[in-house]
Each structure stands twice: as C-alpha cells, then as structure tokens.
Amino acid sequence: MKFLITAGPTREALDPARYITNRSSGRMGYALAGAAKHDGHEVILISGPTALDVPAGVDFIHVESAQEMYEAVRDMVKYADVAILCAAVADYRPVAYSEQKIKKDGERLIIELERTPDILGSMRDVFGFTGTLIGFAAETQNVEDYARGKLERKKCDFIVANDVSRSDIGFDSRENEVALVFPDHTEYLEKDTKEHIAMHIIEHATIIRR
Ligand code: CTP
C-alpha cells in the first residue's frame, strides 16, 4: 500500500527573522513513516522543520508553512491508499509578511492573524481522497468527545487522540498514550514509545476496507 504521512510543525513567517509555530518534535509522524516502511509499504513523508533523520527508503518532501503543506498534500494525495495527517499545522498565520525585520516601536504590538487552510478537512471534499483517512487530535479536555466530533466533521476512518495537558506524554516526549477513536468504538492503547504506538496505528490503518 502507499502511505502519505504529514509530520512536524509548520512555520508561519512574520518577517525574515520571526515566525509563529506549534510545539511539535515530529517524532510521532516520523515513527509512523518508519513503521509503514518497515512493514513493506511505500511512504511519502511531508514534513515541516524538525531535527529528525528521515527514515531510510521514505520519499521526503520538506515544507515550511501550512500553505506549502496544503499544496504538497494536494499534489501527492492521488498516489496514496492511506493518509495519516499527524502534522501540528498552525491554525493561523500573519495576514501580512514584512520584508524588513519589524523594529521595536511602542510597548505593545498587535499582529493580525488569518486562518490557514484545513488540510485534513480538505481531503475528502476538496481533494477527492477516497482512501483510508486518519487524523490526529490534540486535546486538553473531553478528549474522546472532541475527537469523535472531529472524526465526523473531517470524514476520517479513525482519529488518534491524545491528551496534551499531560507533560509525561505527547509533544516533546518519546512516549505517548493515545486512544484510537472509531465511528462506533474507542480503543485505548497503553502508554508506550511512539515507535510501538506507530506500529499499532499502521496495523489498524491497513485492515480498514473502504
Ligand atoms: N490539521 C490540518 N490542517 C490544519 C490544521 C489541522 O490538516 N490547518 C490536521 C492535523 O494534522 C490533525 C488534525 O487536523 O490531524 C487535528 O488538528 P486540530 O487543530 O486539533 O483540529 P481542528 O479540527 O482544527 O479542531 P480545533 O482546533 O477546534 O481543536
């Protein structure tokens, strides 16, 4: 099977020296790419900036902004049987980019932000993707309820949900504890390394028949 995986944060530039970003090491997405490749699948990894090595044998596309990630996914989605959107995409970007570095001027600075394109939300209705679709949900409360809402709105086959209010898992950690939220049930995976969790997710992704 062919997997398309997004990973890492995006960077939304304000000026040549500054950007808005999300907390994300990219480890979960890179672990998914490695696990899928290890299982004999073809993998396209579309990633924002991270400090990680690209798993051997994976096709890699580097992007910076949400807009670049959107365009890369749009162009590559036709090759995929399974898409796992794990990236921590910035939801907002500065309305204006300043070609010159913004100088200190006054005690307050107001920056106007606008929405970035919703990549996961575009997969079915804009890109026409008919394969298996898996999204991630980072929540701080009502994890399962919010994830189920996301599952329905974005027409996913399942959502990998985690509680980002906990400091021992997720984000910069090597471990994670997630729930796989399906339309009719939820499966809780025990706390484990991101590599082991990735193996479970890939296994579930390959058995869904659409
Ligand atoms: N995502 C995306 N494009 C965006 C924002 C998010 O593809 N512009 C994807 C992420 O990769 C993840 C999923 O959407 O798979 C969940 O992101 P999140 O921001 O938690 O979900 P939202 O539906 O935007 O909901 P909310 O911000 O209300 O929690």
Side-chain angles (χ1 to χ4, degrees):
M1 288 173 122
K2 290 190 178 156
F3 279 69
L4 182 153
I5 296 169
T6 69
T10 65
R11 287 179 180 172
E12 312 303 325
L14 256 171
D15 71 16
R18 305 184 180 96
Y19 52 78
I20 292 172
T21 193
N22 273 334
R23 249 180 96 176
S24 166
S25 65
R27 276 201 200 105
M28 193 66 240
Y30 280 57
L32 285 164
K37 187 71 205 171
H38 181 263
D39 281 358
H41 302 293
E42 285 182 47
V43 182
I44 304 169
L45 175 62
I46 299 173
S47 175
T50 76
L52 304 173
D53 293 328
V54 178
V58 164
D59 290 327
F60 183 70
I61 300 175
H62 172 84
V63 297
E64 290 270 332
S65 65
Q67 184 63 33
E68 282 177 26
M69 187 172 279
Y70 176 88
E71 289 169 16
V73 172
R74 180 196 63 199
D75 295 348
M76 290 297 145
V77 77
K78 56 182 173 287
Y79 303 113
D81 303 303
V82 179
I84 309 180
L85 301 199
C86 181
V89 184
D91 287 322
Y92 291 87
R93 64 185 169 207
V95 171
Y97 173 75
S98 167
E99 297 288 343
Q100 308 303 329
K101 188 173 169 223
I102 300 166
K103 301 301 279 181
K104 282 187 285 301
D105 178 23
E107 288 306 308
R108 289 185 181 207
L109 171 67
I110 294 171
I111 298 167
E112 197 178 352
L113 304 177
E114 64 185 6
R115 287 286 296 268
T116 54
D118 180 355
I119 304 167
L120 183 60
S122 303
M123 290 292 284
R124 298 287 190 216
D125 297 340
V126 182
F127 303 155
F129 181 63
T130 56
T132 298
L133 183 60
I134 300 155
F136 271 66
E139 309 288 359
T140 54
Q141 55 178 341
N142 303 333
V143 176
E144 202 184 321
D145 279 358
Y146 282 149
R148 201 170 293 285
K150 217 164 271 184
L151 172 93
E152 286 164 13
R153 279 198 311 282
K154 314 264 166 110
K155 301 177 183 162
C156 295
D157 291 284
F158 67 91
I159 292 272
V160 183
N162 61 350
D163 182 345
V164 293
S165 65
R166 286 174 56 179
S167 60
D168 60 323
I169 54 168
F171 286 147
D172 296 329
S173 161
R174 290 184 186 279
E175 292 193 311
N176 210 351
E177 186 177 319
V178 302
L180 307 186
V181 180
F182 293 86
D184 54 357
H185 72 288
T186 298
E187 188 171 325
Y188 292 91
L189 302 184
E190 279 176 23
K191 183 172 166 179
D192 207 336
T193 62
K194 289 183 175 174
E195 286 70 25
H196 282 137
I197 289 184
M199 286 164 56
H200 283 292
I201 294 170
I202 297 300
E203 210 170 286
H204 279 282
T206 49
I207 56 178
I208 289 174
R209 288 272 168 270
R210 292 188 62 83

